[in-house]
Amino acid sequence: MGTTVVSAREVDTYNLIMPRFGGVTKTDSLYKSNQTRAVNNNTYVGGGYTMHSAIYRGENKMTSTYSAGSGDRIYLKYNSPSDAQGSNLRLGGWTGLSTYVKVQTTGSWSPDE
């Protein structure tokens, strides 16, 4: 019989208030253990707005920008998966530059698929 090795991935929930005019807010960090895509499982974005998101290491974007509305599950592909692996990463969220109100968003995310 063979042995199956399963890598546990970290998952966390978020409840963020995205700043006005495209300001970025970020979750707490999670450890990335493999080279798969990240997951943003958004459950709610207030006021019918869109959440723009990316994965960050410090102030550096590790993915392109992806957009989600309420109820969307999106996968974020890393620019360099091998560079991101083994890092503590954060999900960043923001609205458009013309959004003049703060917007609440909730959901869960993981740096690993």
Side-chain angles (χ1 to χ4, degrees):
M1 300 205 161
T3 302
T4 303
V5 177
V6 177
S7 175
R9 69 182 179 122
E10 294 190 352
V11 178
D12 198 10
T13 59
Y14 61 84
N15 183 351
L16 303 173
I17 303 296
M18 295 181 288
R20 307 170 198 191
F21 307 117
V24 178
T25 189
K26 296 176 187 153
T27 63
D28 291 333
S29 66
L30 293 177
Y31 182 79
K32 177 155 184 60
S33 60
N34 60 48
Q35 293 187 23
T36 61
R37 301 174 295 181
V39 181
N40 177 7
N41 188 26
N42 185 278
T43 55
Y44 172 77
V45 182
Y49 288 96
T50 298
M51 175 190 190
H52 304 294
S53 57
I55 302 296
Y56 287 82
R57 181 173 59 203
E59 294 303 313
N60 298 320
K61 252 195 223 185
M62 303 301 289
T63 66
S64 296
T65 297
Y66 294 82
S67 300
S70 291
D72 288 346
R73 180 180 179 91
I74 59 172
Y75 297 91
L76 298 89
K77 183 178 174 185
Y78 288 92
N79 301 329
S80 174
S82 61
D83 187 38
Q85 185 177 2
S87 299
N88 288 312
L89 305 175
R90 300 168 79 184
L91 176 71
W94 63 95
T95 58
L97 292 173
S98 62
T99 304
Y100 59 90
V101 295
K102 296 177 183 177
V103 177
Q104 181 180 12
T105 186
T106 61
S108 61
W109 79 284
S110 176
D112 295 306
E113 188 174 358

